Amino acid sequence: MVETLLTAGAAVVSAGIVYTMAAARVVKQYERGVVFRLGRLRAAVRGPGFTLVLPFVDRLHKVNMQIVTMPVPAQEGITRDNVTVRVDAVVYFQVVDPAEALVKVEDYRFAVSQTAQTSLRSIIGKSDLDDLLASREKLNEGLELMIDSPAIGWGVQIDRVEIKDVSLPETMKRSMARQAEADRERRARVINADAELQASKKLSEAAKEMADTPAALQLRLLQTVVAVAAEKNSTLVLPFPVELLRFLERAAPPPAAPAPAPAPAAAPVPPVEQAVVEKGTVEQAAVERGPDAAPPSIAPPRPAPHGDRRPADDGERLREPRSEVAPSEVWE
């Protein structure tokens, strides 16, 4: 009898141990347990620690309550000012209601990821390029509100959303670099012009002071020479006042006027051309005197002296030049 009781007791203890091992569950500190009994949700959410469920009847689902960091893949879109950009972001969220996260949505992680991608593309289309580059805090707040609106019904709370990087095309980068360079050059020119204005005012005041004391100008000249010679240069620059140069210019004698160049000698006129010229002169004089006037008498050509004649054959006579009319014998 005692042996039977001992055997039954051992069997009960063994069954209890097996049941306890099958029903025992451990929930970690950052987790919460949601129990489904025969497919129905139990209202009580199991806290961290040791807990028991009915074997083969209850199903315990553990939900992580930590803040999840989820990167959003880079999304390519066109901004409001027609610039193609690629923007990637990161979302920080956590589950605040484990029962809603398991019941309302199939996979809350995937749902949050897709919502973040669509919201990011929407933000890109509504913003300008300057807003994406300069006003990221404002865009982060708007993106957080867009993702948090549907996620709050899933038992998920969006902690914050941040835009990580904005990738621009190479042409846009070069254009922005040229714009920044031009802006810096403009500011440099404005600063240089302001410095010149201030320096001119100071120089004007210094000139007035030196005008009252001429020795100050000489002392300043000597200081400049000392400053130039201090560098051990082989060339020494000595500035001269402009008034001294003007005085020397007025004292210099005026330059002598250059002698006029002699007129070029007239080219000799050939005999035949001279006769033609004289003939044209006669005709012009006749026209000026009128048709009724008597034509001027032209003296016949004088014969050549006998001493200049030479016997020549017929061929030479044919080649003999025509007699010339001297200009003095045209008019009597």
Side-chain angles (χ1 to χ4, degrees):
M1 185 65 182
V2 177
E3 294 179 357
T4 304
L5 292 175
L6 292 175
T7 304
V12 170
V13 172
S14 299
I17 293 174
V18 172
Y19 178 81
T20 302
M21 293 178 61
R25 299 288 187 274
V26 176
V27 180
K28 297 180 182 179
Q29 181 65 36
Y30 55 86
E31 295 176 342
R32 297 295 183 271
V34 180
V35 179
F36 290 90
R37 180 168 293 175
L38 298 177
R40 295 177 65 88
L41 177 65
R42 300 291 293 177
V45 177
R46 306 297 174 88
F50 181 81
T51 183
L52 296 174
V53 295
L54 296 177
F56 310 108
V57 177
D58 294 342
R59 292 292 181 91
L60 179 66
H61 294 271
K62 300 177 182 180
V63 180
N64 193 343
M65 303 296 292
Q66 292 176 322
I67 296 177
V68 181
T69 303
M70 177 180 294
V72 181
Q75 302 296 314
E76 184 173 355
I78 301 176
T79 60
R80 192 167 57 181
D81 50 354
N82 299 326
V83 179
T84 304
V85 295
R86 290 177 59 88
V87 182
D88 55 351
V90 59
V91 181
Y92 301 90
F93 69 93
Q94 70 177 128
V95 177
V96 293
D97 191 347
E100 295 289 336
L102 290 176
V103 175
K104 293 298 181 69
V105 64
E106 180 181 3
D107 187 354
Y108 64 90
R109 290 175 177 266
F110 182 74
V112 171
S113 176
Q114 295 300 315
T115 304
Q117 293 181 28
T118 54
S119 300
L120 182 58
R121 294 179 67 89
S122 178
I123 285 292
I124 293 174
K126 294 179 181 179
S127 304
D128 295 333
L129 179 62
D130 295 338
D131 296 336
L132 289 175
L133 298 176
S135 304
R136 291 193 179 184
E137 295 295 334
K138 182 179 179 181
L139 296 179
N140 292 339
E141 294 177 359
L143 190 58
E144 181 181 348
L145 292 176
M146 294 180 66
I147 301 175
D148 191 56
S149 297
I152 197 65
W154 305 332
V156 178
Q157 180 181 1
I158 304 300
D159 186 64
R160 67 180 183 273
V161 182
E162 294 183 358
I163 296 176
K164 293 196 302 182
D165 188 22
V166 178
S167 300
L168 300 176
E170 293 297 329
T171 56
M172 182 57 62
K173 290 181 180 179
R174 289 194 294 268
S175 300
M176 295 178 66
R178 289 195 299 268
Q179 178 184 0
E181 183 179 357
D183 184 67
R184 290 184 177 276
E185 185 177 357
R186 177 186 62 83
R187 286 187 290 177
R189 290 184 178 180
V190 170
I191 294 173
N192 191 16
D194 191 12
E196 292 291 339
L197 177 60
Q198 296 179 6
S200 63
K201 292 181 179 179
K202 295 298 182 182
L203 289 175
S204 178
E205 295 177 2
K208 292 179 181 178
E209 294 292 334
M210 290 183 180
D212 298 337
T213 309
L217 181 61
Q218 186 67 20
L219 293 176
R220 182 57 184 162
L221 177 61
L222 295 177
Q223 291 177 358
T224 305
V225 172
V226 171
V228 173
E231 299 295 333
K232 298 180 180 180
N233 297 327
S234 59
T235 303
L236 183 61
V237 180
L238 294 177
F240 288 94
V242 180
E243 290 77 6
L244 179 60
L245 298 179
R246 292 177 180 175
F247 174 76
L248 295 177
E249 183 179 355
R250 288 193 299 267
V269 182
V272 178
E273 294 183 359
Q274 186 176 0
V276 174
V277 171
E278 295 298 338
K279 182 178 181 182
T281 306
V282 172
E283 293 178 357
Q284 183 177 2
V287 171
E288 292 178 356
R289 296 177 59 183
D292 298 336
S297 59
I298 302 176
R302 297 179 180 179
H306 294 282
D308 295 340
R309 291 185 177 181
R310 293 179 302 173
D313 54 1
D314 297 338
E316 292 181 356
R317 291 178 181 177
L318 292 177
R319 292 192 301 269
E320 186 176 357
R322 297 172 58 185
S323 61
E324 300 178 359
V325 180
S328 58
E329 296 176 357
V330 174
W331 300 96
E332 287 185 356

